[in-house]
Each structure stands twice: as C-alpha cells, then as structure tokens.
Amino acid sequence: MITVRAFTFNMVAVNTFVLHDETGEAAIVDCGCMTPAEEKQLSDYVSGHQLTVKRLLCTHLHFDHVLGNRFAAQTWGLQPEAHRNDVEQLPSPEAQVRAMHLPFPVRFAETGYRFLTDGETIAFGHSELTTLHTPGHSPGSLSFYAPQDGFVIAGDVLFQGGIGRTDLWGGHFDTLMASIRERLLLLPEDTAVFPGHGPPTTLLAEKQHNPFLKK
C-alpha cells in the first residue's frame, strides 16, 4: 500500500509528494523545495523513514514544480522524468522565471530528462503508478494514477473547485477540459485527487461541485 506524504513548498505553494510503500522504496513527485529549510524538511522525512528514493517524477515542467529537482538529483542520484512535450516545447525554467520577472536566485537541474509516455507503468517497491497524458495546462502534463490505492496525482490539471490555468506556454482550454473529462473523470468516482496546489479532493466531489465541470 502506498503512503502519500504531501509537503507544500516555495512561495507558489506547490504540493510535493513523497510516495512510499512497505519496502521503503519511494518516488518524489513535483519536487518544489527551494530554500535550505525546505530541502532539509524533505531530506529529513526521507532519512527519518529510511526510504530509498528511486524515481523523480514531474507532472509538468513549469518552474515552480521543478525548483527542487537539482537538489533531489544530487542528493539521491536521480534523473528527473517528464513527458517529452514539456521538455521540447516549454521554455526552460530559467527562461520562465525571466519572462515572469521573478527574482529567483535558483539553479535548476542541469541533467537531462528521462521521457515518460502515456500508459507507462512506473514501479517502485511493490507499487505501481500508471501515467496518464493530460495536456491542456501544459502540452506534456501528466497525471500519475495508482489504481490499487485509489488515487491520482493530477498536477495542475484539476483542483478542488477549479482547473489549471491555460494562459501559460502551451496551455489550451479545450484540450484541458478534454483531458479532465476523457481521462480523469473516467476513473472510479471515489478516486482521491492530489493536485499540484491546494487541498486534496475526490473525483465525485468535483463532479458534483466543481463549477467548470457543470458547463
């Protein structure tokens, strides 16, 4: 069974997730830690639970979700993993920061990405995630679905009471809505949703209360 530990990092309040099971093997999703204190919080959790981090997964490559990739890659010897479309079609995190006129004194990961594909199985320990390509917020947005554990990590595709913005690089509203309706909402209604920002929710709650899904 997968334990999901959520951290909220950096001034954009990104949810970073550590997933681990009874074997002690783990995956980090959207490593957003930025400050030494945030890095210590993440590493203390990993060491305190005697975890072996095997995967560094990215739902998408907007700068706020990858601020900690360099730290994680160097600390645990990992290669970040993301969809090819974001790697090839989005500006670099440094260029994004400059375009948004943000004073981030951060060095981003220099290592290349391993490309994830739609429907790929991501294994760690006794656990498995399935990748779902859910573009619209970005061209390569991925959601990570754990069918046996009943949750999906949705990045910035679907939030409690909201959806991802589509005014950034590669965003497209109709594509985003198609991803939500044709990929996420076809999962079981009791599936827990862990978004890239804000509190968790369920698919049933969003079907019933999310104003974007009632249109």
Side-chain angles (χ1 to χ4, degrees), residues 31-168:
C31 192
C33 54
M34 178 179 172
T35 66
E38 291 176 344
E39 294 171 351
K40 185 177 187 300
Q41 189 179 2
L42 181 62
S43 61
D44 282 353
Y45 182 83
V46 170
S47 60
H49 288 79
Q50 299 181 320
L51 302 179
T52 301
V53 185
K54 306 294 285 188
R55 313 292 291 261
L56 177 56
L57 308 174
C58 306
T59 62
H60 63 295
L61 299 183
H62 288 156
F63 76 92
D64 51 324
H65 289 256
V66 300
L67 283 165
N69 276 359
R70 181 184 178 90
F71 168 76
Q74 293 180 342
T75 301
W76 295 292
L78 303 171
Q79 181 179 26
E81 304 178 63
H83 194 279
R84 177 188 293 269
N85 288 1
D86 269 15
V87 176
E88 296 182 346
Q89 297 179 33
L90 291 186
S92 69
E94 292 87 350
Q96 294 176 36
V97 168
R98 288 194 299 269
M100 300 180 79
H101 305 289
L102 297 172
F104 279 127
V106 175
R107 295 179 64 195
F108 290 90
E110 297 174 352
T111 183
Y113 286 87
R114 177 185 177 272
F115 293 144
L116 295 170
T117 59
D118 182 55
E120 184 172 340
T121 297
I122 297 171
F124 59 94
H126 294 155
S127 302
E128 292 185 346
L129 305 172
T130 300
T131 61
L132 303 175
H133 185 209
T134 48
H137 176 65
S138 75
S141 286
L142 291 169
S143 297
F144 300 109
Y145 177 46
Q148 294 183 333
D149 294 87
F151 70 83
V152 63
I153 296 180
D156 287 3
V157 174
L158 180 65
F159 302 117
Q160 182 187 74
I163 60 172
R165 58 188 295 183
T166 57
D167 60 336
L168 299 174

